[in-house]
Amino acid sequence: MSNILDYLAWRGDLSLTSDPFNSIDAVILSCLSYVDFAGVVPGKGNGRITIKDATKKFFKLHSESELAKDKSFINFGPQLLKALAASERFQNAYLLNYVDDTDIEREIQFAAIEIDTSDGTPFISYRGTDDRIIGWKEDFNLSYMTVPAEIEAVLYLQDVMSGRKENFRLGGHSKGGHLAIYAASKATQDLAERAVNIYSFDGPGFGFNRDILNSSQFKKIQPRIEKFIPQTSVVGRLLTRTVAPVIVKSTELGIMQHNPMSWELCGKNFVTLASTDKLSDVVEETMTSWIEEMSLEERKVFVDELFSVFEASGCDTLSAMTKIRVKEMRAIVKRMRLIKSDSGEKVRTLVKIFFMNLNALNEGTIDLLEEETKLRSLVANIKNKTGK
């Protein structure tokens, strides 16, 4: 089966005039914001550059050997950029209004870029969570607070699109999909009405409380929201469901299905499935029930404790955690034993699930029935200890 790079190779010669914008174009442009465009694309209000010229500039700044050292799941960004530059469909599209703000102390990871396509409808692409643990913690922070990235997403949309008349599209992968929906739901009424499509690719539901979901503005934009998740989705099923998702078949296993490069295509459409698998279902049921029964303060404690365990390893990325040794694992276990709050058992269970997935992926196979049985056993153990 083909993926998004195959799509660009096979259909990249078709202009948006001859073959209108579709959801595959949307996931491609959503993923483009993963590229580090510092020193390549102008910032807000400082000009623009074509994708073709930006690619030349990018590869002058970054060598192939340097890029090959990136082992994160979003390391496909430069390869995607090169494919876009080689396609008639996108090579003359303009990139502009690039911003990138990541700060560990403020617990923010925000980046966005505008892509001015040839069909007269610009695309605002919000960057999702990359390999850094700080980004994943910000995702979980969404469960109990408005995070800085959400505020920045709304301000960015208003800064770049206010005072203009054209309609536009919004989109993002992972947290970027959440930010696209959030920005449209919180922007001015004029901007919300001009957002013709809002795309979320395996974006979490965290952060959409009842007030937002019941607001008149959200109800107006809801028919324009398109959400896509893989069959073993974990991230895209966390907590609140904003719209019914389209389920896409993936060539990867477990959590690695979050990588959109693994999503299968047929022509200009995703290969879809009727339902998610049982492993995804039980993770969604478990996480949602756990979080919904917690107060906002309990959620904060839970998130802080969970990520204190990961931080105890000394790793700042998930990729690094796949290579930890005995010393780092001892530090993780020691930190878990220090957690005495009510959420301690849940934290320990999630950490076990994380490493169970890593071990299975490293072995190159996941027995979904076996993984589901393990997870249900862990959850049952919690219920026996806590009564919840």
Side-chain angles (χ1 to χ4, degrees):
M1 278 293 179
S2 61
N3 62 20
I4 57 180
L5 291 179
D6 297 318
Y7 168 85
L8 287 171
W10 294 344
R11 303 183 61 84
D13 61 333
L14 300 175
S15 69
L16 291 174
T17 301
S18 60
D19 188 31
F21 193 91
N22 60 59
S23 58
I24 310 303
D25 296 318
V27 72
I28 289 170
L29 298 187
S30 292
C31 291
L32 187 59
S33 53
Y34 280 124
V35 178
D36 179 6
F37 282 120
V40 176
V41 176
K44 284 192 288 188
N46 291 322
R48 60 183 187 170
I49 185 172
T50 65
I51 286 180
K52 189 174 184 178
D53 289 341
T55 303
K56 294 176 183 177
K57 195 172 181 179
F58 178 86
F59 283 98
K60 283 183 180 179
L61 293 175
H62 304 281
S63 67
E64 296 282 0
S65 59
E66 171 198 343
L67 296 171
K69 294 177 183 178
D70 182 3
K71 303 302 181 183
S72 70
F73 82 91
I74 60 161
N75 62 1
F76 60 82
Q79 186 181 11
L80 180 63
L81 176 64
K82 189 179 289 186
L84 284 165
S87 73
E88 293 291 333
R89 191 171 182 83
F90 288 111
Q91 64 180 209
N92 293 316
Y94 286 100
L95 303 178
L96 61 160
N97 293 322
Y98 176 64
V99 299
D100 186 354
D101 181 9
T102 298
D103 189 319
I104 293 177
E105 290 186 2
R106 291 161 52 221
E107 294 188 349
I108 181 175
Q109 183 187 54
F110 175 77
I113 190 169
E114 178 183 346
I115 302 106
D116 190 354
T117 56
S118 60
D119 66 350
T121 308
F123 190 98
I124 304 296
S125 176
Y126 290 107
R127 181 183 295 173
T129 305
D130 62 15
D131 203 30
R132 286 172 284 192
I133 290 174
I134 181 63
W136 287 95
K137 184 176 183 183
E138 189 181 28
D139 282 1
F140 276 76
N141 285 346
L142 290 167
S143 67
Y144 68 87
M145 64 180 287
T146 300
V147 302
E150 290 177 312
I151 297 171
E152 291 298 320
V154 178
L155 292 175
Y156 178 88
L157 178 60
Q158 293 180 167
D159 283 349
V160 303
M161 294 308 300
S162 292
R164 296 162 63 173
K165 295 182 178 180
E166 70 265 51
N167 292 333
F168 56 89
R169 302 180 179 100
L170 295 164
H173 170 257
S174 191
K175 183 184 69 181
H178 167 88
L179 295 180
I181 298 174
Y182 186 88
S185 68
K186 289 290 187 177
T188 62
Q189 184 176 343
D190 169 63
L191 289 175
E193 290 174 351
R194 286 161 50 203
V196 293
N197 300 102
I198 305 157
Y199 297 96
S200 175
F201 298 97
D202 211 23
F206 282 158
F208 294 112
N209 57 37
R210 296 183 189 279
D211 289 341
I212 293 177
L213 296 179
N214 292 330
S215 68
S216 59
Q217 182 146 308
F218 182 83
K219 289 178 179 178
K220 287 179 180 178
I221 68 168
Q222 192 172 26
R224 287 170 268 152
I225 298 173
E226 298 182 42
K227 182 167 183 174
F228 301 81
I229 64 173
Q231 74 259 30
T232 314
S233 174
V234 174
V235 178
R237 301 189 73 190
L238 292 176
L239 210 59
T240 308
R241 174 179 288 191
T242 50
V243 294
V246 175
I247 301 163
V248 181
K249 188 177 181 182
S250 169
T251 57
E252 277 289 0
L253 301 169
I255 190 67
M256 293 308 295
Q257 291 187 11
H258 188 53
N259 183 347
M261 287 296 291
S262 74
W263 296 7
E264 294 188 15
L265 312 182
C266 182
K268 61 178 180 179
N269 298 299
F270 287 112
V271 176
T272 60
L273 300 171
S275 62
T276 49
D277 60 38
K278 286 188 175 295
L279 182 58
S280 175
D281 293 344
V282 70
V283 170
E284 190 270 340
E285 291 164 11
T286 302
M287 284 295 296
T288 298
S289 63
W290 283 356
I291 293 171
E292 284 185 338
E293 71 187 17
M294 296 179 189
S295 67
L296 294 183
E297 181 56 36
E298 287 172 333
R299 293 181 188 184
K300 181 182 187 306
V301 171
F302 171 69
V303 172
D304 286 344
E305 289 179 339
L306 174 62
F307 282 88
S308 74
V309 173
F310 292 135
E311 290 160 3
S313 69
C315 301
D316 59 1
T317 67
L318 294 180
S319 296
M321 289 197 68
T322 66
K323 302 176 179 66
I324 62 173
R325 299 181 180 180
V326 175
K327 181 181 178 181
E328 290 83 7
M329 184 57 74
R330 283 176 178 166
I332 287 175
V333 173
K334 181 179 179 180
R335 176 64 196 128
M336 284 196 294
R337 287 174 176 168
L338 292 174
I339 300 174
K340 304 299 183 183
S341 70
D342 292 340
S343 61
E345 284 297 329
K346 294 171 183 176
V347 168
R348 285 185 277 275
T349 295
L350 281 182
V351 174
K352 288 177 183 176
I353 292 170
F354 176 77
F355 283 104
M356 277 164 44
N357 261 275
L358 285 186
N359 290 336
L361 289 170
N362 288 335
E363 293 170 4
T365 181
I366 285 183
D367 184 322
L368 291 178
L369 180 59
E370 182 181 346
E371 293 298 307
E372 180 197 355
T373 302
K374 288 179 183 177
L375 182 53
R376 289 194 182 279
S377 177
L378 288 170
V379 173
N381 187 48
I382 283 184
K383 291 180 178 178
N384 290 335
K385 289 183 177 182
T386 65
K388 295 181 179 179

